[in-house]
């Protein structure tokens, strides 16, 4: 029996399938039950119990970076339901198309509420019984009236999730200054603290436009080679 790291949700949350007798290959599409409900996910690969505990500790102690804000565990224990079928994958594709239209409508509704928040993306669960809205905000926002309007418009359960600016980059999947997709959007599965000292010790130019990612923070790659210096 093995432990597997699982990636799920648009913000690329991390979860663990523990002591499972099912064998997964990296990239397998699966249906899992998380604290949010049943949803599609991707198997990242097998990990040891020590690595799983490292993820759990890092995500809990790393402030708000990469942590879902809504009372859910930062590193979730998941339950395997089944491998995703072609019908599941097709249903998820159709959901993504609907989500694009819902995002546009959600932003239109937001304008009438004059709230200091930015709507980043939306996501259905597999059964469409819950719709998540991801947003960023500098301060605490009272969005209760906005949620009521969303529920009235889309006729389903609405949950808003505040994410950080680094998490926003994971969701929107933009291009980094090097010309490649942002590392956090396709392979980097947890954020590590980056400080200006790392930049100085590598003798890199202290030009904010050169060392900052699209999130406005120091680029994660500043830490990739830091130990060699």
């Amino acid at each position: 029996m093995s432990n597997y790291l699982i990636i799920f949700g648009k913000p690329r949350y991390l979860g663990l399938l523990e002591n499972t007798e099912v064998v997964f290959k990296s990239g397998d599409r699966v249906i899992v039950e998380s604290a949010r409900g049943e949803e599609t996910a991707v198997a990242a690969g097998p990990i040891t119990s020590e690595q799983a505990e490292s993820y759990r500790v890092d995500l809990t102690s790393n402030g708000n970076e990469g942590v879902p804000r809504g009372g859910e565990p930062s590193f979730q224990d998941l339950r395997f339901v089944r491998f995703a079928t072609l019908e599941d994958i097709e249903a998820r594709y159709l959901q993504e198309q609907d989500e694009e239209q819902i995002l546009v409508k959600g932003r239109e509704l937001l304008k009438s509420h004059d709230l200091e928040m930015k709507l980043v993306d939306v996501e259905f669960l597999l059964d469409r019984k819950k719709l998540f809205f991801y947003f960023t905000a500098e301060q605490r926002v009272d969005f209760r009236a906005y949620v009521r309007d969303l529920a009235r418009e889309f006729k389903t359960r609405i949950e808003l999730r505040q994410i950080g600016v680094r998490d926003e980059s994971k969701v929107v999947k933009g291009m980094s200054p090097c010309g490649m997709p942002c590392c956090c959007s396709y392979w980097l599965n947890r954020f590590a603290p980056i400080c200006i000292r790392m930049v100085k010790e590598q003798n890199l130019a202290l030009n904010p436009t050169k060392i900052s990612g699209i999130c406005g923070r120091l680029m994660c790659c500043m830490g990739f080679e830091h130990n060699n210096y």
Side-chain angles (χ1 to χ4, degrees), residues 59-158:
L59 289 174
T60 302
S61 62
N62 194 20
N64 293 322
E65 300 287 1
V67 178
R69 307 177 194 179
E72 300 165 0
S74 56
F75 183 67
Q76 299 188 29
D77 294 307
L78 307 174
R79 184 179 71 84
F80 174 69
V81 177
R82 66 178 187 277
F83 284 99
T85 63
L86 290 176
E87 290 76 11
D88 292 325
I89 296 173
E90 176 66 20
R92 182 66 198 127
Y93 174 74
L94 294 175
Q95 284 182 349
E96 290 174 349
Q97 291 182 315
D98 292 340
E99 288 164 358
E100 292 179 3
Q101 300 176 17
I102 291 172
L103 179 61
V104 173
K105 184 61 178 180
R107 286 172 172 168
E108 291 177 358
L109 292 173
L110 181 60
K111 293 178 182 178
S112 63
H113 288 271
D114 194 30
L115 296 174
E116 293 296 325
M117 58 185 285
K118 176 184 177 182
L119 198 58
V120 176
D121 210 340
V122 300
E123 179 183 26
F124 270 119
L125 286 191
L126 192 62
D127 57 9
R128 290 180 178 256
K129 292 182 179 179
K130 191 180 295 185
L131 182 59
F132 290 91
F133 285 76
Y134 300 105
F135 73 95
T136 59
E138 294 292 335
Q139 298 177 344
R140 188 177 181 87
V141 179
D142 184 358
F143 48 67
R144 288 173 293 183
Y146 179 48
V147 170
R148 287 194 294 269
D149 283 353
L150 291 173
R152 188 180 304 112
E153 176 69 26
F154 301 115
K155 305 296 190 299
T156 190
R157 182 178 175 182
I158 303 295

